[in-house]
Amino acid sequence: RVVPNAIKTWAIAQQIDVLQPTKLSEEVREQLVQMNADVSLVMAYGHILRDAFIETPRFGTLNLHASLLPNYRGASPIQSAILNGDAQTGISLMRIVRELDAGPVADVEEVSIEKLDTALEIESKLAGACVPLVSRNLKALESGMLDFVEQTHDEATFCRKLTKSDGALDFTVSASVLAARINGLHPWPGCRVLVEGQSVRVALAESAAGAGEPGAIVGQDEGALIVGTGNGLLRLLQLQRPGGKMLPAADFLRGFPVPVGTKLPTMNMPILIKSSN
């Protein structure tokens, strides 16, 4: 059942018009003209805006991009920051240009990435970070005092749109890389492992010291299913069997035992991030 989100609910209560066009037609642009819009803010829109739309508001159209630019231009910046093992990410307030996420940046709001943060937690942190970022910059924009600084383009990195195949895990790489990938790709597309021919989804993981054959189950400890990797041990903390619910590892293993020595097949992990070079 489709229900209004918090923003639409608030706007309706304040008797503010809510437009939800499926396509940005000329008719929609005329509505912005009639509203005498001061500024448009775009976030994770995923479509190229025509110049006419960008220029319609009095102060133009700004983009809120979910990374500290020039890092992670593209479609999956939240996941990419976690996968890369970054300690921080943030929101960048920028001008829209024709090149992908390459516009000049006015300001950023940083957030921390904790050890067990998934993409879901970081998305929530970034949503909250938009509030102070926009609040402190709109008045400066109106007064003409907001400065935009060109990005260092040769330091840019790029991230692509995610697919289900990105959830594959290669147990020959280090446990820290695998944990970051599992956490970064939750809730979508999610990482999966094959256990006795069944596809088991993994939602949360961490790395630990130790050694074991890559892909081999080496035991259980403090509510984790422990797997050997190319460097260190991977602690799987939440798992989901086909047709079941996501459960803490201890609960999962009570109904789906995975004996020590079980081998989890290694699969090729597609590259998600590339540099401008």
Side-chain angles (χ1 to χ4, degrees):
R1 188 167 64 92
V2 178
V3 296
N5 65 14
I7 294 173
K8 182 175 180 179
T9 300
W10 176 87
I12 291 172
Q14 305 300 316
Q15 297 185 321
I16 297 173
D17 290 338
V18 178
L19 309 179
Q20 295 181 276
T22 56
K23 183 178 180 181
L24 292 183
S25 63
E26 181 60 26
E27 179 182 352
V28 177
R29 194 187 75 83
E30 284 299 322
Q31 288 177 304
L32 291 179
V33 172
Q34 293 170 16
M35 292 167 65
N36 195 27
D38 292 316
V39 63
S40 288
L41 296 172
V42 178
M43 188 172 190
Y45 184 60
H47 298 279
I48 295 175
L49 295 176
R50 291 186 287 115
D51 289 343
F53 268 96
I54 294 172
E55 297 165 2
T56 294
R58 186 157 58 108
F59 299 111
T61 300
L62 304 183
N63 183 40
L64 291 158
H65 184 72
S67 79
L68 300 175
L69 292 168
N71 288 327
Y72 314 127
R73 298 178 183 177
S76 54
I78 296 174
Q79 295 85 351
S80 296
I82 301 172
L83 264 64
N84 202 44
D86 295 354
Q88 285 186 315
T89 186
I91 296 289
S92 298
L93 181 65
M94 57 177 288
R95 288 262 185 217
I96 295 176
V97 297
R98 283 291 180 183
E99 188 178 350
L100 178 68
D101 299 324
V105 176
D107 196 6
V108 301
E109 183 74 15
E110 296 182 351
V111 304
S112 62
I113 301 176
E114 304 300 332
K115 182 180 179 181
L116 292 179
D117 276 343
T118 68
L120 199 61
E121 281 82 40
I122 297 303
E123 184 179 87
S124 179
K125 289 183 182 181
L126 292 173
C130 291
V131 177
L133 179 63
V134 172
S135 296
R136 68 173 176 260
N137 284 290
L138 281 185
K139 287 188 177 180
L141 178 68
E142 183 179 20
S143 64
M145 300 297 290
L146 188 59
D147 294 326
F148 290 83
V149 179
E150 287 294 329
Q151 298 181 41
T152 308
H153 298 294
D154 59 2
E155 295 180 2
T157 56
F158 299 85
C159 52
R160 58 173 173 78
K161 186 176 180 179
L162 299 171
T163 68
K164 285 188 177 180
S165 64
D166 292 320
L169 295 175
D170 180 355
F171 291 103
T172 66
V173 304
S174 71
S176 60
V177 169
L178 291 167
R181 194 175 188 95
I182 290 168
N183 297 342
L185 295 184
H186 179 70
W188 198 91
C191 288
R192 291 170 173 80
V193 294
L194 282 176
V195 182
E196 303 295 338
Q198 294 197 58
S199 178
V200 174
R201 187 180 177 102
V202 186
L204 193 65
E206 62 183 355
S207 60
E213 181 187 353
I217 302 298
V218 299
Q220 283 180 251
D221 178 44
E222 297 178 358
L225 181 64
I226 305 173
V227 189
T229 73
N231 182 15
L233 296 175
L234 179 65
R235 294 169 51 83
L236 304 179
L237 303 175
Q238 293 183 9
L239 302 101
Q240 179 182 7
R241 67 190 302 173
K245 296 180 179 179
M246 185 64 69
L247 297 171
D251 295 338
F252 173 87
L253 292 168
R254 276 194 283 271
F256 194 112
V258 184
V260 171
T262 300
K263 193 70 180 293
L264 305 180
T266 278
M267 294 177 280
N268 181 56
M269 295 195 307
I271 296 173
L272 300 180
I273 305 166
K274 66 176 184 178
S275 69
S276 58
N277 301 319

